[in-house]
């Protein structure tokens, strides 16, 4: 018999057991017989009251079961009927598939090129001087992004870009790995104390997780960073050998400061992540605003080199250590870039009083001051003082 004794208590139907005890439509009759069977064993003296109450409860239970069973039966028929015309979602074919049979190990070298010669405007010299944060990265599949251009930054990316705090972004990466199995590993490299310098790390990839993404914060800055989004290290059935990528600054869209040392000024509502260029943002106060340049020079670069496999286990430091602050390399192979910085001056002050004898012509002056001194053969500053002839108008 279909009916399970666990679904029944003293032969009285329990409403909370409906979902657990529903019978197939064809077996409702057997359940009805099972439910009514105790009535035939009641003593004659008890049938007058007990059997009537019990009969009412039993009939209500059967009616509920029949209604629910019938509804479930028709729902099943509808699903089966509609299912004949439903096709599965197509698998995207525009993303190249990696078919490399073995894993690969790479060395990542980050090279900072943030020099005063290349970026002379408002270059941070002290409190704090120009430098780079730790590198935080992941190896992952094509369906995951730690950050994306023209998309909103996550809370983790926001905290990292504004403060250099990595805990939230690591929690987001961990959650993505558990939820959709799209993250293979986390990688890190120590900070670089100075705008010029290098940091290195090693990591492993395999066919299903052949993409690399990472972020590095500019220090100091409102919410600016450099990084790579979903760079595929696989090429069909084999791994790429050597690659070098030039990096340019991005704005996380969470702070509206224009200069490296701007105070916190939250962007409300939050903007999307955008690349900073020599003309965008177009505000003259912006630290990267160089109207004479078509393109900014690269502020950093990353080199990826395929290396022989080792048994080294790469882990992320639990807490920052003093060694993270040590410069791992200062040799910059590329020739230095000298970005010309033109002089910037203020607007003219109002003309001063006319100085001269009554009846004779006099002279009056106006001044302006330097906002930005020129550098690297930029346009020199113009005259900061002018004079012109005038006639005193307060003669008696």
């Amino acid at each position: 018999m279909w009916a399970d004794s666990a679904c029944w208590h003293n032969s009285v139907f329990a409403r909370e057991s409906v979902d657990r005890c529903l019978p197939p439509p064809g077996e409702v009759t057997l359940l009805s017989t099972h439910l009514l069977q105790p009535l035939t064993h009641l003593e004659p003296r008890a049938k007058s009251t007990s059997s009537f109450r019990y009969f009412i409860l039993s009939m209500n239970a059967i009616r509920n079961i029949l209604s629910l069973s019938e509804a479930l039966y028709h729902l099943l028929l509808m699903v089966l009927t509609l299912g004949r015309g439903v096709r599965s979602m197509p698998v995207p074919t525009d993303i190249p598939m990696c078919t490399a049979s073995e894993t690969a190990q790479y060395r990542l070298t980050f090279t900072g090129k943030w020099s005063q010669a290349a970026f002379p405007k408002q270059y941070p010299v002290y409190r704090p001087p120009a430098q780079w944060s730790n590198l935080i990265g992941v190896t992952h599949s094509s369906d995951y992004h730690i950050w994306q251009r023209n998309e909103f930054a996550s809370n983790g990316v926001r905290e990292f870009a504004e403060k250099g705090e990595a805990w939230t972004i690591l929690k987001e990466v961990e959650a993505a790995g558990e939820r959709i199995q799209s993250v293979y590993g986390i990688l890190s490299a120590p900070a670089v104390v100075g705008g010029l310098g290098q940091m290195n790390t090693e990591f492993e990839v395999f066919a299903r997780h052949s993409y690399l993404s990472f972020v590095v914060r500019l220090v100091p800055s409102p919410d600016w960073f450099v990084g790579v989004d979903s760079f595929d290290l696989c090429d069909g059935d084999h791994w790429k050998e050597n690659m070098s990528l030039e990096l340019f600054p991005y704005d996380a869209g969470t702070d509206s400061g224009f200069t490296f040392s701007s105070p916190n000024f939250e962007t409300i509502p939050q903007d999307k992540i955008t690349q900073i260029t020599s003309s965008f943002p177009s505000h003259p106060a912006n630290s990267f605003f160089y109207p004479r340049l078509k393109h900014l020079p690269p502020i950093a670069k990353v080199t990826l080199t395929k290396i022989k496999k080792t048994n080294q286990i790469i882990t992320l430091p639990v807490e920052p250590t003093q060694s993270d602050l040590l410069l791992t390399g200062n040799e910059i192979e590329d020739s230095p870039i000298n970005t010309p910085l033109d002089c910037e001056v203020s607007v003219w002050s109002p003309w001063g009083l006319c100085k001269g004898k009554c009846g004779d012509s006099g002279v009056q002056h106006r001044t302006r001051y330097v906002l930005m001194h020129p550098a690297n053969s930029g346009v020199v500053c113009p005259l900061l003082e002018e004079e012109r002839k005038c006639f005193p108008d307060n003669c008696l």
Side-chain angles (χ1 to χ4, degrees), residues 14 35 37-38 63 82 107 125 154 178 300 312 332 342:
L35 187 62
Q37 185 176 1
R63 190 177 295 110
L82 293 176
R107 176 180 291 112
V125 179
S154 66
E178 293 177 352
Q312 177 183 5
I332 308 300
D342 299 337

Side-chain angles (χ1 to χ4, degrees), residues 190-212:
V192 176
V193 181
L196 301 175
Q198 292 183 341
M199 52 180 159
N200 302 276
T201 189
E202 296 179 3
F203 62 94
E204 187 180 57
V205 288
F206 75 105
R208 187 168 175 266
H209 298 85
S210 61
Y211 291 82
L212 169 70

Side-chain angles (χ1 to χ4, degrees), residues 137-149:
V138 293
T139 54
H140 57 91
S141 56
S142 61
D143 58 352
Y144 176 76
H145 296 273
I146 194 172
W147 69 276
Q148 278 185 287
R149 181 177 177 177

Side-chain angles (χ1 to χ4, degrees), residues 30-46:
L30 295 176
L31 181 61
S32 306
T33 305
H34 171 77
L35 187 62
L36 291 177
Q37 185 176 1
L39 291 177
T40 61
H41 298 287
L42 293 176
E43 295 295 331
R45 54 189 177 86

Side-chain angles (χ1 to χ4, degrees), residues 120-123 224 256-260 262 276-292 341-347 371-373:
K121 187 175 182 179
Q122 303 165 358
Y123 186 82
W224 301 340
S256 297
F258 277 121
T259 67
F260 295 116
S262 293
I276 301 173
T277 69
S278 60
S279 57
F280 180 83
S282 60
H283 198 289
N286 190 277
S287 294
F288 287 109
F289 184 69
Y290 295 92
R292 285 181 58 187
L341 179 64
D342 299 337
C343 178
E344 295 181 14
V345 296
S346 67
V347 298
L371 295 173
M372 186 74 60
H373 289 279

Side-chain angles (χ1 to χ4, degrees), residues 350-355 362-366 386-391:
W351 287 102
L353 295 176
C354 183
K355 297 179 180 179
V363 176
Q364 61 183 164
H365 297 81
R366 67 175 182 175
E386 282 186 346
E387 65 177 40
R388 68 179 181 182
K389 291 183 178 182
C390 60
F391 290 93

